[in-house]
Structures are given as C-alpha cells and as structure tokens.
C-alpha cells in the first residue's frame, strides 16, 4: 500500500467515526459523559466491549505469537471468561447498589479517604502508562507507513493522533464511546475474518481444509499440563486469567464505566457474560490467522521477520494480496488502537475529576468546566508520555511499563477483596504504605523465584501474590475493638 492510500483509508474511517460520535453524544450532559445516563442497551454494550478489550497491540501481536506459544493464550482467555462471571455476580450488583460513578468511591465508603485516593492514583498511573504505550506502538506503525514517506516528524504524528482521540471523546464521553466502540468492533471483526478468507483462498483451502490445516499444525496446541515451570502451564495461565480479568476489568474504571451505563445490574450481567464468551472466539480468530500467516510464508518461501509482531503488518501491507487486505489491516489496527485510547482517556478524565479532584458534587456548569479542562490535560499528558517513550528509543521500556501497569492492579485487587470478603475496619492512613510495599515484595519475589523455588518462573500469576501481600498487609492494620 502507498502512503497516500493508507492516509485516505484513515481519513475515511475517521469521518465515519466522528459522525457516529457527534450523533451519539450531541446531547450528553455530565451524567451522559460519566455513565451514559444509565440508558445503554446491554447487547450494544456487550458488542462494544469486544473492541474495547482488544488493543492495537493485541491486533498486531497475537497472530505472531503462535510460533512461540501456540494457542496457549486461550488458556488465559478461558480464565478471562471465568473472571467475567465472577465480576457479573459479585462486583456489578455491589456497584449498582451503591450507585457509583467511579468504582473507587467504594473504597472511601468501606475504609476511608486514604484508601479511596490510593485506588484512584494506582489506576491513574497504570492506565496512563498502558494507554500511552498502546498508542505509542500505533504511532510507530503510522510513522513508518505514512509520516516518514512524507518526511513529517514524530512529534506531529503524536499531536495529530492524540488530538483525534480527544476530539471524538470530548463531547459525549461514555455515551459516545458505546456507539463508536460498536463501530470499531464491527470493523475489527470484519477485518480479521476477511483477512483469514483471503489468505485461505490464496492457499487454496476451503473452510473444512482450512480448519484441518490449522488443527494439524504444531502451533495449534492449546493445553499445557506437563511442566509446572513452563510459563504456558495450564493452571498458571488459567488462574492468572481469572484474577487479571477481575483486576483489569472489574476493578478498572475504564472497563466498568461501560458496564455501569446499562439500565440495571441484570442487564449489565448479561453484557458481561456475553462479551466474555464473544472475546474467546475473537481471540481464537486471531490465533487461527497466525497459523495461516506462518503457513503462507512457509509455502511461498518468505522469510519471517525477526520480531513476530511484524509478521501480520508485513504480509497485510505487502503486495501479496489484493489491496483490500491492506485496507482491512489498517482499519482493524486503527479501530482497535483508538478504541482502547479513547476509552482510557474518558476513564482517566472521569477518575481524575471525581476521585482525585473530588468535583462530583459541584454545580452542573462548574463540573462541565472542570471536566473539559481535565480532559484536555489528560490528552496532553498522554502525548508527552508517548513522546518520552520515543525519545528513550528502547523497546524494553515498553515491557517495563506493562509490568509496572500489571503491578499497580495488585493493590487494588487486594483492597477490594479485603473490603468485600471481610467486615473488618483498618487504620486507613497506613493503607498507601501497604499498597507501595506489596509491589516491591512482588518484584523481589520475581527476581529470585528461580533460585528460591527450584527453577520456577513467575508469569502473570504474580498479580495474585501482589493482591495477597496487600490483603496480608491490611490484616496487620485491623483496628482492635476497644
């Protein structure tokens, strides 16, 4: 694809996106921005959640990862489904009963102001870093395909990218996001399905022979029960999936903001379970695409790139297929990336306004002014973080940020678990110390696990220990009855 054709594709997509955003959010007030006036249809939210749970990183990385990990990621996705069922029947009724705008308000009601601020700040740091990294990776792709051929600097790329995210979310917030995310989900699913179709057609595979080719390939192995030290070991992946979903969806303002926009908690439960099952099949499509991509390169003698993340972009935007495949790849990438960034920006604005500034009870007009200023501020900070990542020019920074982001959800998970499953009161002012010490202990544990536990390597299940350390720390802070 030429830079001009890529640019035309992106512009056309954003014209449609802005039209949907304007129609959905033109009459949105503060309640519409924060929780969609609690009038969203559950099936629309469920469909939108598919796009919001799949980032641009997933779109590019999952197809390439089958060479190293096979279909083992589905073990974790099964854990995601189980985690969403727990969220549906434990957290959602609780949040609706308390009529929350920000889910971290629960911590203030349960423990006190320090806990509330701790949860909000941990969310803010992790979400800002995670969203910026995801958008940074998309900016790199756009720089390579569009901006460099026109000799335009990376800083302009960042400004335009962040400005676009800000523009389609500033008016309607959640009320707009539900419908724009539905559009993105549609584009995402259609792009993957049609890419699979065109690659299978080139390989002269019908539906039955395509399924047989994938299932007979060594890359399609899903379950790993033989080596507990393997990061792909089933129970490590499954349990990590359960707790990751609870922490990064059920206790994440970004994801729960959509669920809290449903009419009532029963509709929200239907949305949560439906989107969880749907996500499994969408991830399965990405993995199937990965096997077909490697089969295609093997049959045509194409050398695989050094980085597996580059496989799908290389094949999709090359001259191997009709131009529509490249167009579909660009639309899918933009859809998934901007969906994650837009929802993160809205959630960060909500959390900072309600939780950190405490502006929820302000007069309507004053709240609008504060919200709009915060929204601009969040966009600027996100742009600065993306630019800093590029200046560091070190991909290991990306891994470090993802690890840091996952660490920050551990204390949040521990706080909510203690609050829900015990009735004890704790010394609230010391909770920030516990929340800081727990990730430090996890880092020490991860660095020394092979030496201390006979070669055992921690994977995503480290989140569980992070939450456990927080839970134990809270037990030490329990107030004694006089």
């Amino acid at each position: 694809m030429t830079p001009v054709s890529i640019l035309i594709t992106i512009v056309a997509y954003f014209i449609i996106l802005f039209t949907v955003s304007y129609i959905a959010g033109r009459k949105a007030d503060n309640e519409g921005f924060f929780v969609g006036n609690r009038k969203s249809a559950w099936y629309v939210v469920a469909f939108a959640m598919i796009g919001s749970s799949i980032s641009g990183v997933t779109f590019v990385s999952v197809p390439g990862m089958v060479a190293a990990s096979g279909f083992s990621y589905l073990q974790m996705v099964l854990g995601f489904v189980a985690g969403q069922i727990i969220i549906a029947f434990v957290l959602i009724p609780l949040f609706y009963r308390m009529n929350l705008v920000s889910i971290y308000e629960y911590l203030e009601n349960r423990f006190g102001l320090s806990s509330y601020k701790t949860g909000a700040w941990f969310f803010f740091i992790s979400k800002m870093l995670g969203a910026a990294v995801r958008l940074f990776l998309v900016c790199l792709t756009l720089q390579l395909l569009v901006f460099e051929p026109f000799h335009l600097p990376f800083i302009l790329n960042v400004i335009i990218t962040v400005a676009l995210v800000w523009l389609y979310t500033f008016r309607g917030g959640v009320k707009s996001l539900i419908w724009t995310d539905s559009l993105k989900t549609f584009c995402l699913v259609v792009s993957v399905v049609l890419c699979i179709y065109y690659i299978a057609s080139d390989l002269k595979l019908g539906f039955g022979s395509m399924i047989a080719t994938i299932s007979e390939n060594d890359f399609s192995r899903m379950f790993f029960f033989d080596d507990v030290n393997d990061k792909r070991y089933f129970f490590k992946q499954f349990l990590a999936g359960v707790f990751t979903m609870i922490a990064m969806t059920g206790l994440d303002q970004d994801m729960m903001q959509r669920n809290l926009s449903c009419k009532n908690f029963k509709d929200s439960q239907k949305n949560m379970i439906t989107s969880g099952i749907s996500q499994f099949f969408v991830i399965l499509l990405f993995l199937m695409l990965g096997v077909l991509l490697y089969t295609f390169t093997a049959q045509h003698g194409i050398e695989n790139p050094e980085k597996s993340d580059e496989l799908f972009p290389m094949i999709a935007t090359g001259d191997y297929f009709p131009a529509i495949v490249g167009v579909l790849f660009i639309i899918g990438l933009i859809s998934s990336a901007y969906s994650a960034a837009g929802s993160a920006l809205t959630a960060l604005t909500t959390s900072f306004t309600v939780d950190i500034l405490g502006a929820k009870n302000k007069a309507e007009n004053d709240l609008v002014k504060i919200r709009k200023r915060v929204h601009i501020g969040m966009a600027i900070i996100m742009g600065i973080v993306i630019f800093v990542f590029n200046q560091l020019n070190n991909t290991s920074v990306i891994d470090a940020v993802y690890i840091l982001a996952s660490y920050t959800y551990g204390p949040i998970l521990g706080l909510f678990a203690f609050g829900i499953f015990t009735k004890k009161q704790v010394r609230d002012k010391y909770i920030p110390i516990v929340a800081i010490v727990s990730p430090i202990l996890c880092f020490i544990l991860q660095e020394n696990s092979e030496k201390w536990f006979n070669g055992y390597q921690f994977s995503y299940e480290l989140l569980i220990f992070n939450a456990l350390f927080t839970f134990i720390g809270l037990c030490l802070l329990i107030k004694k009855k006089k």
Side-chain angles (χ1 to χ4, degrees), residues 3-158:
V4 174
S5 60
I6 294 172
L7 193 59
I8 291 172
T9 301
I10 294 172
V11 170
Y13 173 77
F14 270 101
I15 289 173
I16 299 172
L17 186 67
F18 279 123
T19 302
V20 173
S21 176
Y22 174 77
I23 294 172
R26 65 187 186 278
K27 295 181 180 180
D29 54 12
N30 284 313
E31 189 181 9
F33 186 95
F34 294 137
V35 291
N37 298 112
R38 301 198 194 276
K39 293 181 179 179
S40 303
W42 71 267
Y43 46 86
V44 177
V45 179
F47 188 67
M49 287 282 286
I50 298 171
S52 61
S53 62
I54 296 175
S55 69
V57 179
T58 304
F59 188 82
V60 172
S61 297
V62 171
M65 72 188 293
V66 296
S69 304
F71 279 24
S72 63
Y73 185 47
L74 287 179
Q75 298 175 133
M76 192 168 183
V77 179
L78 285 173
F80 291 166
V81 176
Q84 289 194 258
I85 293 172
I86 294 171
I87 294 168
F89 291 98
V90 176
L91 293 178
I92 285 177
L94 173 66
F95 294 156
Y96 267 87
R97 188 168 63 248
M98 298 181 70
N99 195 32
L100 301 180
V101 172
S102 167
I103 62 174
Y104 306 114
E105 292 175 284
Y106 167 81
L107 297 176
E108 182 179 26
N109 294 332
R110 180 64 178 83
F111 299 118
L113 187 61
S114 292
S115 302
Y116 177 32
K117 298 295 183 183
T118 299
W121 273 110
F122 268 74
F123 165 76
F124 175 80
I125 294 168
S126 60
K127 203 66 188 182
M128 179 59 76
L129 292 174
V133 167
R134 291 180 177 92
L135 210 53
F136 167 62
L137 295 178
V138 175
C139 285
L140 287 181
T141 304
L142 293 177
Q143 187 71 21
L144 178 65
L145 298 177
V146 179
F147 285 84
E148 277 188 9
F150 289 115
H151 306 290
L152 297 173
F154 186 79
I155 185 66
L156 181 62
N157 179 354
V158 174

